[in-house]
Amino acid sequence: MNERIIELSEISPKEFWGPQDIHLDLLKKLYPKMKIIARGAVVKIYGENEILDEFEKRFDRLTKYFSKYNRIDENTIERLIIDTEPQQMSSRDDILVHGTSGKLIKAITPNQQKLVKYVERNDMVFAIGPAGTGKTYTGVALAVRALKNKEVKRIILTRPAVEAGENLGFLPGDMKEKLDPYMQPLYDALRDMIPPQTLDDYITKGIIQIAPLAFMRGRTLDNAFVILDEAQNTTHSQMKMFLTRMGKHAKFIITGDPGQIDLPRKVSSGLKEALYILKDVEGIGMIYLDDKDIVRHRLVKSIVEAYKKIEERPDKMSIEEIKKVEN
């Protein structure tokens, strides 16, 4: 009897085999003339070469389906394993990622769709806009898509922690505990798109890295999809440092909202400088999202518009002046 070994590469065995290994049991029923033993991510199959060849080919369909859609069920297994010519997987252009629980991640607004096209055409893209416009979420979806399609080997997500100075010493806990609150929006986006166990495995193996901007110093980021979030809070030196980390076969997205700068008053925003300095550089795209792209609660749009009216008034008062009037 011949033996072959198949490895479930970058797939969570627990999620793939289903509760109480029901998917494994179904495969055994579909191939009664073959012995299947699964131990975690390693699958051993025993049988005649002809049967093993057929099973490997069809099992590959199944793992590719799971990698793309993050789920399988008994009907899917029977269709992909039994059918000699299974239907092609859906590849609708507007779907970026098939997220967890069957959620379809898309670029919804015209500017989000424009961002997708800019990233496809350029290796570096600046996505600028107010809160809630989906610039970071769309960027993360593009990164996950690139990883799933094996266009890159890793995803690196970063942002300046605790304003621009990254002064974390006063916070309790180890480095991870200090940083996690600042990285939470990035974790939230990833959890929408990658099953929990798979995401944990990716992070453990370094396939997905989430780190503060200071940790980028001295690195060369090859074969990676890199997103710098909250870039309005970078200084001149931080932004220059980050942009020059770009290695071969890399994609960079820089997101930010120039209207929400937390830097000290006398410190210039590295994002604002970069938009001016790099505006004519070929290969760099710049997309500006606005109030029409806000996809959060309907009140977010109204809040942004209200603040915008005050900030654009020629006789606008500072927050400090408003407080003095109220007192």
Side-chain angles (χ1 to χ4, degrees):
M1 187 176 286
N2 303 298
E3 177 192 77
R4 296 189 193 174
I5 297 176
I6 305 171
E7 289 196 21
L8 297 175
S9 177
E10 299 176 5
I11 287 178
S12 166
K14 185 177 179 180
E15 293 167 358
F16 183 78
W17 295 126
Q20 299 180 331
D21 292 339
I22 58 172
H23 299 155
L24 177 60
D25 292 340
L26 177 57
L27 286 175
K28 290 178 179 179
K29 289 178 183 177
L30 294 174
Y31 276 85
K33 294 182 180 180
M34 191 180 75
K35 186 177 181 181
I36 306 173
I37 299 175
R39 294 287 184 271
V42 177
V43 184
K44 293 183 179 180
I45 54 176
Y46 303 86
E48 299 298 325
N49 278 327
E50 187 177 346
I51 296 175
L52 297 182
D53 288 342
E54 177 189 308
F55 179 82
E56 281 191 295
K57 187 184 296 183
R58 298 186 180 189
F59 190 75
D60 183 58
R61 294 175 189 163
L62 196 59
T63 56
K64 285 180 178 176
Y65 184 98
F66 184 87
S67 293
K68 181 169 184 177
Y69 296 102
N70 295 319
R71 60 190 173 90
I72 53 173
D73 54 28
E74 293 185 8
N75 290 332
T76 301
I77 294 171
E78 290 181 353
R79 177 167 58 83
L80 294 177
I81 294 295
I82 296 175
D83 289 358
T84 54
E85 295 182 6
Q87 296 178 350
Q88 290 292 320
M89 297 180 199
S90 171
S91 59
R92 291 171 56 191
D93 292 338
D94 59 339
I95 298 174
L96 299 178
V97 177
H98 290 263
T100 54
S101 304
K103 184 176 183 178
L104 301 180
I105 312 295
K106 304 180 183 181
I108 299 172
T109 71
N111 278 333
Q112 289 176 5
Q113 293 164 4
K114 200 173 179 181
L115 172 57
V116 172
K117 292 178 181 176
Y118 272 42
V119 172
E120 290 170 350
R121 295 172 188 167
N122 301 278
D123 287 337
M124 181 179 290
V125 173
F126 287 79
I128 311 303
T133 51
K135 52 191 184 295
T136 301
Y137 197 81
T138 304
V140 173
L142 287 167
V144 171
R145 183 180 73 171
L147 184 66
K148 284 177 175 285
N149 293 342
K150 301 189 184 302
E151 296 166 10
V152 296
K153 293 182 180 178
R154 54 187 172 155
I155 295 173
I156 298 172
L157 307 176
T158 186
R159 51 165 39 185
V162 191
E163 302 179 345
E166 302 184 2
N167 300 313
L168 299 166
F170 69 92
L171 293 173
D174 59 22
M175 183 58 71
K176 186 178 185 303
E177 290 170 333
K178 292 172 190 282
L179 292 171
D180 275 355
Y182 299 95
M183 304 299 164
Q184 198 60 49
L186 303 175
Y187 283 110
D188 290 344
L190 287 169
R191 289 190 185 104
D192 274 358
M193 303 173 199
I194 301 175
Q197 186 59 55
T198 303
L199 178 57
D200 290 343
D201 290 344
Y202 281 166
I203 292 173
T204 300
K205 294 175 182 176
I207 295 170
I208 293 180
Q209 301 171 25
I210 305 175
L213 184 57
F215 284 28
M216 298 298 109
R217 193 172 300 279
R219 301 181 65 183
T220 300
L221 307 177
D222 294 320
N223 300 302
F225 201 117
V226 187
I227 299 176
L228 169 58
D229 193 34
E230 298 289 338
Q232 73 274 7
N233 289 329
T234 59
T235 62
H236 169 88
S237 60
Q238 285 176 324
M239 178 60 79
K240 184 179 178 182
M241 176 274 291
F242 172 77
L243 297 177
T244 54
R245 299 307 93 204
M246 193 174 201
K248 296 177 181 177
H249 310 296
K251 287 272 189 184
F252 272 39
I253 295 181
I254 299 94
T255 73
D257 176 8
Q260 290 191 356
I261 295 173
D262 297 318
L263 294 165
R265 284 190 174 184
K266 294 182 180 180
V267 178
S268 298
S269 168
L271 176 62
K272 284 188 172 182
E273 291 180 350
L275 292 173
Y276 176 75
I277 294 169
L278 304 176
K279 65 181 185 298
D280 297 321
V281 176
E282 188 175 348
I284 297 179
M286 295 182 181
I287 174 74
Y288 292 85
L289 298 94
D290 55 33
D291 305 357
K292 301 183 190 70
D293 299 299
I294 293 176
V295 290
R296 291 181 183 170
H297 192 285
R298 61 178 181 80
L299 283 177
V300 175
K301 184 175 181 179
S302 300
I303 290 167
V304 170
E305 289 175 348
Y307 270 87
K308 189 175 179 181
K309 286 179 182 177
I310 292 294
E311 290 164 356
E312 289 180 349
R313 281 173 49 186
D315 60 335
K316 66 178 180 180
M317 301 170 67
S318 68
I319 297 298
E320 289 77 10
E321 290 171 329
I322 291 173
K323 288 179 179 177
K324 285 180 182 177
V325 171
E326 288 179 347
N327 292 332

